Amino acid sequence: TTRSWDFIGLTQNRTLRLPTESDVIVGVLDTGIWPESESFSDSGMSPPPSKWKGKCQTGGTNFTCNNKLIGARYYNSENDPSEIKSPRDVEGHGTHTSSTAAGRPVGDASYFGLAEGIARGAVPEARIAMYKVCWLSGCWSADILAAFDDAIADGVDIISVSLGSDFPSQYFEDPIAIGSYHAMKKGILTSNSAGNGGPFPISVSNYAPWSLTVAASSIDRKFVSNVVLGNGNTYIGISINNFNMGNSVYPLIYGGQAVNVSAGSTELISSYCIDGSMNTEKIEGNLVLCNYGDGDETIYNAKGLGMIMSVDDNLQDVAFSFMFPVTIITTDDAREILAYIKSTSNPVAVIKVSDEWSDPLAPTVVSFSSRGPNPITPDILKPDLTAPGVDIIASWSPMASPTGYEEDKRSVNFNIISGTSMSCPHVTGAAAYVKSFHPNWSPAAIKSALMTTAIPMDPRKNEDAEFAYGSGHINPVQAVDPGLVYDASAQDYITFLCAQGYNTTTLRQVTGDNSTCNGIGLGKAWNLNYPSFALSVPDGGYATGSFYRTVTNVGPPNSTYNAIVFSPANLTISVVPSTLTFSQVGEKKSFVVKVNGGRLFQQPIMSACITWFDGKHSVRSPLVVYTT
Amino acid sequence: QSYGEERKVYIVYMGGHTSEGVSSSSLSSHLGMLKKVLPSGVSATDKLVYNYGRSFKGFAARLTDDEVKKFSEMGEVVSVLPNTKLKLH
């Protein structure tokens, strides 16, 4: 990416970088990879570390690996015939996510001149192993599980999974939760996308406590494609528009003026530019003003010159790219443009090439990013944190359509797309960066470091607060030195699962050992050593709970931390003890957080936080209370 | 084929390896389980899609509804999951 890593402080010339970065192997479960991309050049790289046990499955094609892309496999349980059997990416997504996490620097990267700069990943010296589980038909769960089985055994350090199910499942009925559980047991952290089901509540996917769940937020670059009318008025539009219409103006009509009467359409229907509802003769050679929908294909196929589409204000937080000039404006502006069209006999307009504006409100969680609370364990806060996932430029497969439309035959080496798929590899890359400094840290410790150093987000810009952004906005440089970590072992997750109702027999099968749930009753998830706190209360119930936690000193040997509690007036939170003194690295100290908020009715979310502070390290955990 | 006899891909998830480590015979063990459930004359090797054995236990195979039920009732099986389609985010 050309901007997002700088935006989150991981600059190209940072002094903090270790030679051990090249020992880190990032496993990516995705659509495959384009090995010839400059992002995966192995110039100057040594052979893979000896721990690597994977392979490069060429599939009888001209696919090759190198010292950067050290492994590639493909999985195709349903024998999808739409693609050649190879790890090669013909969709683009896997090349994008891989290069975002760990791509090497590529100068003069751009999407038709937009977002120009040096494209790079977080850990350019780290290795990439691609596990192709997604085909043009989708990503099959048997393939995902096979990829986890291999990736764990191959010796990857971090696994990145930018996909998920639309529906929640219990942990051991979900292939990603199963795979990431076994990865965790082997010391491998899995970074997951939270899903694009927002802004609706309980839409978060990939919510297992042993994996990192990543929401998507904006960066300080916004693509603005203005509309200029014949009367000189200019309206701000949001889109990625690389098509230069020059200094001329072009005839402008309203979709509702091109009614296909013979098809029984009406002005209202054709105003949405729905396929078949429009008189295509009236569209050809015109710019068309449409209500929000899928009208762009209608207008393109009818040889329209471009489209101006109106959308609700709150959906203008992401820019999309199209096959021809398109921009997205607000409904208020659309009303004014319609008034102009109706006021003159010869309405004309032009859609300008995108400008890159600086967005002072960034980062904000994008509307489509899935929201908590957690559908399976309401007392584990999800998503865990947020990272850039809006208008991200990264490498692309030149065989793939840049806009996702089959008709779009353009070939690009870089593309700008949005999704929690794009935020997930940012956290993957950050986790790999932390791993390069602390190769022996557990998955939970790396996760904790990323969560407790996250920059707090502003709830005034995200009304869902922690259900949108979790602990906050990723801060990879600080995550290398978190001071304290909330560590958790595989056994801690077993205790958690016992309290969730899993029985000893099932857990012994899952773990393969003699785990037991004896003495652990059904209960809340408050005692899992999680780096955030969530207290769910039945509507009309009492907000009372005690959370037991243990922190491990990973900072200076002699340090004293004091607890700083921020809470709203109607919540009483105490931390006992409120001071923790350490005398050595690796020392553990326990404390309890007691919450009392009285009786709650219809309470969406109350936000508090607990920060351990030693004068230098700020170890911050959000605490949320809400009614279910 | 009548309803319920159509073969679809299912995941038979059997949890983690025991402390003895990865069983070198996991493939033969999983094929053995399949043979017990499949009707005689149906090749277990042909119906096996994946053998998960490097990092955890289980396999994916083309099964009928009846066969799925039989695996679901086995003590050593944690869950039997249909081969669902997940989406890129």
Side-chain angles (χ1 to χ4, degrees), chain A residues 30-31 73 75-79 93 134 137 139-143 145-146 149-150 152-154 162-166 172-173 176 178 182 193 195-196 205 419-421 509-512, chain B residues 8-20 22 49-62 74-89:
Chain A
D30 215 301
T31 61
R73 298 174 185 262
Y75 306 87
N76 193 0
S77 59
E78 296 290 347
N79 291 319
H93 190 278
C134 295
S137 62
C139 322
W140 296 96
S141 50
D143 298 337
L145 211 49
D149 191 34
D150 280 335
I152 295 165
D154 285 348
S162 287
L163 57 104
S165 169
D166 285 342
F172 294 109
E173 293 173 3
I176 297 176
I178 292 170
H182 290 284
S193 48
N196 300 337
S205 58
T420 53
S421 274
Q509 287 171 348
V510 170
T511 61
Chain B
K8 294 179 192 163
V9 177
Y10 284 87
I11 297 161
V12 179
Y13 171 57
M14 297 164 64
H17 291 297
T18 57
S19 52
E20 288 82 51
V22 179
V49 177
Y50 291 119
N51 178 55
Y52 307 129
R54 297 181 73 198
S55 306
F56 44 84
K57 292 190 293 185
F59 56 90
R62 296 184 197 284
M74 288 183 182
E76 63 267 48
V77 172
V78 177
S79 50
V80 183
L81 312 173
N83 195 20
T84 51
K85 197 191 285 187
L86 281 70
K87 287 181 186 165
L88 294 166
H89 282 157

Side-chain angles (χ1 to χ4, degrees), chain A residues 355-411:
Chain A
D355 278 332
E356 293 168 35
W357 287 18
S358 176
D359 181 2
L361 291 176
T364 53
V365 176
V366 65
S367 54
F368 66 68
S369 184
S370 289
R371 265 54 171 186
N374 187 323
I376 297 295
T377 312
D379 292 278
I380 295 289
L381 178 63
K382 290 283 177 175
D384 289 309
L385 75 181
T386 188
V390 180
D391 305 340
I392 303 298
I393 188 168
S395 292
W396 197 249
S397 163
M399 267 180 84
S401 158
T403 53
Y405 294 105
E406 229 174 89
E407 305 96 306
D408 191 350
K409 301 297 183 195
R410 295 176 297 167
S411 173

Side-chain angles (χ1 to χ4, degrees), chain A residues 158-489:
Chain A
I158 307 284
I159 296 177
S160 192
V161 187
S162 287
L163 57 104
S165 169
D166 285 342
F167 304 100
S169 305
Q170 293 295 330
Y171 297 122
F172 294 109
E173 293 173 3
D174 172 350
I176 297 176
I178 292 170
S180 56
Y181 172 81
H182 290 284
M184 175 276 296
K185 273 193 75 180
K186 293 286 185 189
I188 305 161
L189 177 64
T190 303
S191 169
N192 286 125
S193 48
N196 300 337
F200 309 106
I202 330 180
S203 51
V204 65
S205 58
N206 298 322
Y207 34 75
W210 43 83
S211 64
L212 251 175
T213 312
V214 188
S217 43
S218 57
I219 59 172
D220 60 349
R221 180 185 61 202
K222 203 165 179 70
F223 292 98
V224 176
S225 313
N226 288 339
V227 180
V228 181
L229 302 184
N231 63 7
N233 286 355
T234 299
Y235 296 90
I236 293 172
I238 302 297
S239 74
I240 299 160
N241 179 39
N242 64 287
F243 299 98
N244 189 346
M245 301 185 81
N247 294 319
S248 306
V249 287
Y250 301 88
L252 171 66
I253 64 166
Y254 170 52
Q257 293 173 326
V259 181
N260 183 355
V261 179
S262 61
S265 184
T266 63
E267 180 179 330
L268 178 65
I269 294 171
S270 60
S271 73
Y272 287 89
C273 302
I274 294 165
D275 189 28
S277 74
M278 306 191 76
N279 181 338
T280 52
E281 280 182 22
K282 289 187 176 175
I283 296 170
E284 186 171 348
N286 286 289
L287 295 174
V288 185
L289 174 67
C290 300
N291 287 325
Y292 182 71
D294 298 326
D296 54 306
E297 279 195 275
T298 311
I299 305 304
Y300 178 82
N301 290 333
K303 299 190 171 64
L305 291 180
M307 185 177 75
I308 303 158
M309 184 160 64
S310 67
V311 68
D312 288 343
D313 298 6
N314 60 357
L315 294 175
Q316 264 207 321
D317 52 1
V318 57
F320 294 101
S321 55
F322 298 88
M323 295 179 282
F324 68 131
V326 175
T327 193
I328 314 290
I329 59 169
T330 65
T331 48
D332 283 348
D333 286 349
R335 267 190 288 274
E336 287 190 22
I337 294 174
L338 180 58
Y340 161 74
I341 290 171
K342 289 184 172 174
S343 72
T344 177
S345 58
N346 183 29
V348 289
V350 65
I351 300 171
K352 307 299 275 187
V353 171
S354 293
D355 278 332
E356 293 168 35
W357 287 18
S358 176
D359 181 2
L361 291 176
T364 53
V365 176
V366 65
S367 54
F368 66 68
S369 184
S370 289
R371 265 54 171 186
N374 187 323
I376 297 295
T377 312
D379 292 278
I380 295 289
L381 178 63
K382 290 283 177 175
D384 289 309
L385 75 181
T386 188
V390 180
D391 305 340
I392 303 298
I393 188 168
S395 292
W396 197 249
S397 163
M399 267 180 84
S401 158
T403 53
Y405 294 105
E406 229 174 89
E407 305 96 306
D408 191 350
K409 301 297 183 195
R410 295 176 297 167
S411 173
V412 294
N413 293 323
F414 286 88
N415 198 6
I416 304 169
I417 55 173
S418 300
T420 53
S421 274
M422 282 65 249
S423 58
C424 169
H426 279 88
V427 170
T428 306
Y433 180 62
V434 174
K435 182 86 178 174
S436 71
F437 284 84
H438 307 290
N440 298 320
W441 277 13
S442 70
I446 294 172
K447 175 174 169 166
S448 172
L450 290 164
M451 286 172 66
T452 62
T453 58
I455 297 167
M457 298 279 278
D458 187 344
R460 292 170 303 179
K461 293 186 289 183
N462 299 277
E463 64 179 17
D464 302 310
E466 283 80 3
F467 289 149
Y469 46 70
S471 295
H473 197 245
I474 181 181
N475 182 4
V477 172
Q478 190 57 50
V480 167
D481 181 22
L484 304 174
V485 291
Y486 293 79
D487 204 355
S489 65

Side-chain angles (χ1 to χ4, degrees), chain A residues 6 11 17 42 49-50 52 85 255 262 305 315 335 338 435 494 533 600:
Chain A
D6 287 301
T11 56
R17 176 178 286 165
D42 69 349
S50 57
W52 175 241
K85 293 187 175 34
S262 61
L305 291 180
L315 294 175
R335 267 190 288 274
L338 180 58
K435 182 86 178 174
I494 294 305
F533 302 85
L600 295 183

